Every structure is written in structure tokens, then in C-alpha cells.
Amino acid sequence: MSASLIVTNASVLTMDPNSPRATAVAVKDDRIIAVGSDAEIIAFSGPVTRHLDGNGRTLLPGFIESHVHLFMGGYNETVIRADRVSGKTALTQAVRDYAAKHPHLTLLLGQGAGYGIIAPDHPLTRHILDEICPDRPLMIMAYDFHTAWANTAALEAAGLLHGRELPRGNEVVMGSDGLATGELHEKLAMLPVMDLRNVGGRESHGMSGIEPPVPPTDAERREDRETLKVGIRHAARHGITTMHNMDGNRYMLEILREIEAEGDLISRIRVPLHLTAEMDLSELDRASAMTRDFQGETLNCGFVKIFLDGVIASGTAAMLEPYSNREGHCGDMLFTRENFIAAAIEIDRRGMQIAIHAIGDAAVRLALDGYEAAAKTNGPRDRRHRIEHVEMLHPDDLRRFAELGVVASMQPPHAPIKEDETTQGIGPERARLAYAWRSIAETGATLAFSSDWPIVSICPLSGIQAAMTRKTWAASQADERIDLHDVLAAYTRNGAYVGYAENLTGMIRKGLKADLALLSGDIESTPFDQIGAMHVDLTVFDGRVTYEH
């Protein structure tokens, strides 16, 4: 049998516990046909085989990005890049330059702002935004998408200037003058402003689990295909061959299927239904239908996403004890306990996986309680339910991940490395089990690592460096750094496991899909604090080269 691609003279880290190392790999069409020494693999050469000299570089299974917002990430390239500016002067210039180039837009939208974008301890307000842009609606989203700041024009047009009663966990922050300050917490506070847009909008519907209210035109579907392709190609440049999207609806699956038909779906993608607290459980019929209709090797559904709380920086994460910097404030759960437990049991009964956004220790505990209730009610099965982020954890809940078979889906780049709004909310007493990757893994639980792009860079190499070089900000913190091979497993093999794809990808093993990432050097000999400066030289998906440096 002749190979279509052979890589030799490489440091092959297979992530296969039974055969962890090799120097060469042979690929035919979409499958790995051999893994071994150079001499063994050269035997698969044929007249049309492409030979690639690894030159001692590391060859890995393609990275698995276990938590990403693909549609928003692609759309992020078309808005004001607030993540690239700091200070009022720079923000003013960015907004005015963008406004001049887009006179037709009914909402100027920025994304990626830090909470101290103007200055530390100097919050952004509508008054500051009015000085920057007085005559057109403007909204700047925080990097975490859980807070936004709008100017007076936007608040007036959205009917929010005088406030609005919203479901728990969502808030239009009010000032002492009885008017909105401009700060908006969580999606139901932001959506009235987002609805002012005259372009886009469909990229954010998955965060609410809704379908486009008006069927998109052919031109709009084409626009959305191109937006998603931007994100897919961006991922390929970083060696990513599988993505678990963490917001979704049927429309996104349909658009991705159209991209697949065009031959441009160069990543395996899972898309959930996002179930919100406002939805009746009958909405899960949509998730069941999505799971039935999309179950291919490249594109599938099979799970439901739920948000239980917000984020620590804005005070919307749900805590068991009050925030250290907000007297008497514990944050709000987005679901009542009764409603969430009922949802978890019903989703589980339907045989689907559940992924829960839970950042505060109270939200993490409720998520675990829901999974425990589902198992007791519905009986044994291969669940692989997951909790996203797990940024705070009560000691009593540490071992429950392993005991319940729950995957901790965490993001190394999110862990603070110095004092900020998040560390101030946690406080030194609770820092012991904040971002406790290693502590969780040592109990026997499965870790899957990711970025949460576009909240931070999608680059897995940056995440690997963060996991291996993490610094502490409080004396009570344990050393949560993880060794290289365990980190690589969390970005490859473990991601395949949590996506029910361990017999398809995640390892370099004969018979599995040819999903590969060739790095720019030898990762094992690279100093830990320089891994993020490496890059990917070659990405292979389904045996097809999808990126080459």
C-alpha cells in the first residue's frame, strides 16, 4: 500500500499510551496507515507520495479546541478591536476611525475590552463613551462577553436609559441619578442594544439558543459562510483539527453543512443547542432533532449547553460566600435549583451530553448536583458530562468530578497571574482551589483544555505555556502547573474523549483519522516559557494539508 503523505525524521508524540513515541508516520487518504521508525515508514513510499522531512520537529495529533465560539470569533474580525487598545485616547481613535469607515452602520460595536480599558479602577461609563461618540449608538463588549458598556444614544434607542426589569443574573446597572450608567451585565441586558444592528446579528443567536427570527436571504447565508470560514481557517493556522463550539442553534449547523458541501469544512465541529433559563423544556425537542440530523464524523450535535452563572470580574459568577470585594454580594444563579435539576435530568434522559458554564463555586456545586441527580434518576450510561471553566471550587466538591465521571473543561490562559478584578473578587482565603487544574486531575478526573476564543487567543501553544508556567497571586495557592505530556493530552486525547471521538482522532495511531500538527521545533527541548513563541508549520485534517507555514 502506497502512502499519500509520509513524515519522517520527526519527534512524533503520538499521545497513544500504548506506543507513545515514533519518528515517522504514513498517511493514505484520510487515515493513518502506519506509525513507526523512518525505515519502517519509508517502505510505504510510492510514485505519488509526498515526503516531508520533520527535521527533528514535534509531530502531534491535531489539537482539539474543546471550548470555542467560532461564529463570534469569525465575526470579531469585522468590529472595533477593543482588545488592541488601551486608554481613552486610543479607544477614541479606534472608534472614530471605524465610524468613518462604516457610515451605514446603525450600531458601532467593539469587542474585547478589558475592564480597565480606560485605566485601572476607572470604569467605562456612558458619559465617557458619549465624549468619544456622541451622535451614533455605540457599545463596547468586554473580552469575556459578560459585560458591555453603551453610550447614551444606544441606551435611548434600546429603551434602557431609564432601566429595565430583567430575569435574575441580568442587569442594567443604574446610577445615583436614576439613569443607566451604561454598564450592562449578561445577554438579556445587552440584547436590546445588539438588536439595533442593521448587519450581522446571526452570529450571536447561538448564545441565546434561538433561530434567526426572519429566514436569512441567500446573500446573508453566503455572508455567514464566509464569516465562519474566517474562524475555521484561523484555527487551522494553529494546528486545530477539532472544535467544540459552546453556543449554537440549528442555523449554525446548517451553514456549516453548506461549508462542508463546498469542501471547506477543514475541522471537525460539534455544535450544541444552547438552553437558556427562559426556555421551556419542550425546547429540548430541537436539540434531539439536531442530534438526529447532524451526526457525521465531521459535523455533529449531540449536546446541550447551559449557563449557570456569569464571571467573577463583573460580580455575576455565583459564589457560596460573598465576594471579597463586594460586601454581602454572592452573585446570582441564572437558573433556579429546581429548574436546573429538572433540565439536567431531562437532557440526560434523552441521551445527550451536557456542557455547563459554571465559574463560581456555587454554580460548580449546582452543576455537580444536577449531574448526580440525572445519574440517580436515569441509571447508568456513558455520560461524559462536562463543566466549563471551574474557576472556583469548594474543597468538598473537589473529588466529585472523578466520582461522577464529569470532565473539567478548563482554559489555562484564563488564570490570572497578577492582582486584578478577578483575584480581588476571589480573595486570598479562597485562592487555594481557584483554577485548580492539577488538583482536579490528581483525583483521577479528566481534564480537557481550550481557549474560549475569541475571549483569548485560540493558540494552543500559548495555552500549553500558560498551563506549565502559571504563577500564583496568593500565598494559599497550590502549585497547579502540569507537566508537558499531561498538558498535551488535555489538548488532544482528552478532548477527543469528551467529544466521543477517541476512536476517530486525538492520537497518532494506525487506523485513526489523519489529523496532525507539525510544530516549528521540538517542544520537549523548548524552555517552558518560550513554548508560546513556537508556531505550527503544517496542519493536516482528514489527510489533507489545510495549513502550511
Side-chain angles (χ1 to χ4, degrees):
M1 180 188 300
S2 295
S4 50
L5 172 67
I6 284 176
V7 181
T8 57
N9 188 29
S11 175
V12 183
L13 303 181
T14 67
M15 294 296 106
D16 181 350
N18 298 320
S19 183
R21 292 181 180 273
T23 62
V25 175
V27 170
K28 182 173 178 59
D29 300 326
D30 65 338
R31 297 280 174 172
I32 297 166
I33 59 171
V35 182
S37 67
D38 288 3
E40 290 170 327
I41 298 306
I42 287 294
F44 290 90
S45 297
V48 297
T49 303
R50 178 181 178 184
H51 291 259
L52 185 64
D53 183 356
N55 199 26
R57 293 169 290 177
T58 297
L59 183 68
L60 292 166
F63 291 119
I64 296 177
E65 170 54 71
S66 295
H67 186 122
V68 70
H69 298 278
L70 181 62
F71 209 164
M72 289 193 298
Y75 186 76
N76 203 41
E77 298 300 316
T78 69
V79 301
I80 301 164
R81 294 301 302 268
D83 56 325
R84 296 175 180 171
V85 301
S86 179
K88 183 179 176 181
T89 299
L91 181 60
T92 299
Q93 190 66 51
V95 169
R96 291 180 179 174
D97 287 350
Y98 185 86
K101 293 176 183 176
H102 300 87
H104 64 291
L105 294 182
T106 52
L107 175 69
L108 302 174
L109 181 64
Q111 291 181 352
Y115 283 83
I117 187 171
I118 298 301
D121 301 319
H122 192 98
L124 196 55
T125 66
R126 67 179 172 92
H127 301 295
I128 294 172
L129 293 178
D130 288 348
E131 293 172 6
I132 292 172
C133 179
D135 55 347
R136 294 175 64 181
L138 166 68
M139 184 166 77
I140 305 294
M141 299 277 287
Y143 68 91
D144 56 23
F145 290 91
H146 289 268
T147 297
W149 301 270
N151 68 354
T152 302
L155 293 168
E156 285 183 325
L160 297 178
L161 185 60
H162 298 278
R164 180 178 297 185
E165 289 295 321
L166 295 170
R168 52 193 267 165
N170 301 266
E171 181 185 15
V172 177
V173 178
M174 302 301 291
S176 57
D177 61 355
L179 298 176
T181 67
E183 186 167 327
L184 307 171
H185 292 166
E186 302 300 331
K187 65 180 177 65
L188 293 183
M190 302 175 204
L191 280 176
V193 179
M194 297 289 274
D195 286 343
L196 300 176
R197 289 184 290 179
N198 59 343
V199 299
R202 295 173 299 281
E203 82 290 339
S204 62
H205 286 153
M207 289 298 290
S208 303
I210 60 174
E211 303 299 333
V214 177
T217 65
D218 289 345
E220 288 171 332
R221 295 180 81 96
R222 184 166 57 251
E223 173 188 313
D224 292 342
R225 288 197 299 273
E226 292 307 311
T227 297
L228 282 163
K229 287 178 189 179
V230 167
I232 294 167
R233 290 192 294 265
H234 180 65
R237 286 196 293 273
H238 291 283
I240 294 167
T241 57
T242 297
M243 288 182 275
H244 300 169
N245 204 62
M246 281 295 142
D247 59 272
N249 53 14
R250 189 180 187 94
Y251 177 70
M252 183 174 178
L253 282 162
E254 290 175 349
I255 294 299
L256 287 168
R257 179 171 278 174
E258 292 172 12
I259 294 172
E260 184 177 24
E262 294 173 342
D264 291 330
L265 191 58
I266 54 174
S267 177
R268 306 186 196 287
I269 301 179
R270 303 186 76 215
V271 177
L273 174 75
H274 182 187
L275 183 75
T276 68
E278 300 78 42
M279 292 180 179
D280 187 84
L281 291 186
S282 63
E283 293 285 344
L284 292 173
D285 289 345
R286 296 166 52 211
S288 294
M290 288 161 60
T291 296
R292 179 195 66 223
D293 297 342
F294 296 88
Q295 48 182 308
E297 291 181 341
T298 305
L299 180 62
N300 58 75
C301 177
F303 75 114
V304 173
K305 171 73 181 296
I306 289 175
F307 274 80
L308 276 186
D309 67 347
V311 294
I312 298 168
S314 65
T316 55
M319 307 282 213
L320 292 168
E321 300 292 338
Y323 280 69
S324 293
N325 61 345
R326 299 170 188 258
E327 187 176 354
H329 177 75
C330 292
D332 288 315
M333 209 79 73
L334 296 175
F335 278 72
T336 65
R337 179 180 179 83
E338 179 184 13
N339 288 348
F340 168 69
I341 296 289
I345 290 171
E346 177 59 17
I347 298 165
D348 182 82
R349 184 191 69 79
R350 291 171 179 249
M352 290 181 286
Q353 187 185 47
I354 310 172
I356 298 173
H357 168 115
I359 283 182
D361 52 5
V364 172
R365 175 168 291 179
L366 179 55
L368 291 166
D369 289 349
Y371 290 156
E372 186 172 5
K376 287 179 179 177
T377 302
N378 298 325
R381 74 174 181 88
D382 185 10
R383 289 181 164 82
R384 309 188 196 185
H385 295 323
R386 45 194 292 174
I387 301 180
E388 311 302 310
H389 308 306
V390 198
E391 293 183 4
M392 289 186 62
L393 182 63
H394 190 279
D396 292 349
D397 295 319
L398 175 61
R399 297 190 175 277
R400 295 179 72 195
F401 284 84
E403 291 167 356
L404 294 170
V406 174
V407 175
S409 172
M410 304 177 77
Q411 298 71 40
H414 286 197
I417 58 174
K418 61 182 180 180
E419 183 98 354
D420 63 8
E421 300 91 345
T422 296
T423 65
Q424 292 164 7
I426 295 171
E429 297 80 12
R430 289 183 293 202
R432 167 66 185 84
L433 287 178
Y435 306 88
W437 319 316
R438 181 173 176 176
S439 296
I440 292 172
E442 286 177 345
T443 68
T446 298
L447 279 184
F449 279 162
S450 57
S451 69
D452 202 5
W453 184 70
I455 288 174
V456 299
S457 166
I458 201 171
C459 177
L461 293 167
S462 296
I464 293 166
Q465 176 174 317
M468 299 181 67
T469 61
R470 174 174 164 187
K471 297 177 176 64
T472 59
W473 76 84
S476 64
Q477 284 187 286
D479 183 358
E480 294 292 347
R481 292 174 296 178
I482 300 178
D483 72 41
L484 175 62
H485 288 265
D486 288 338
V487 176
L488 292 176
Y491 276 104
T492 56
R493 183 178 69 232
N494 295 359
Y497 169 81
V498 73
Y500 295 92
E502 68 270 26
N503 294 319
L504 195 69
T505 190
M507 295 182 287
I508 299 177
R509 175 190 283 176
K510 180 181 177 180
L512 295 191
K513 287 285 192 175
D515 296 349
L516 307 169
L518 180 66
L519 306 187
S520 57
D522 179 0
I523 196 170
E524 292 180 294
S525 64
T526 301
F528 298 161
D529 62 355
Q530 295 177 28
I531 288 175
M534 299 176 71
H535 60 263
V536 171
D537 276 345
L538 185 83
T539 304
V540 177
F541 168 73
D542 251 1
R544 168 186 171 190
V545 174
T546 56
Y547 172 75
E548 193 160 5
H549 183 70

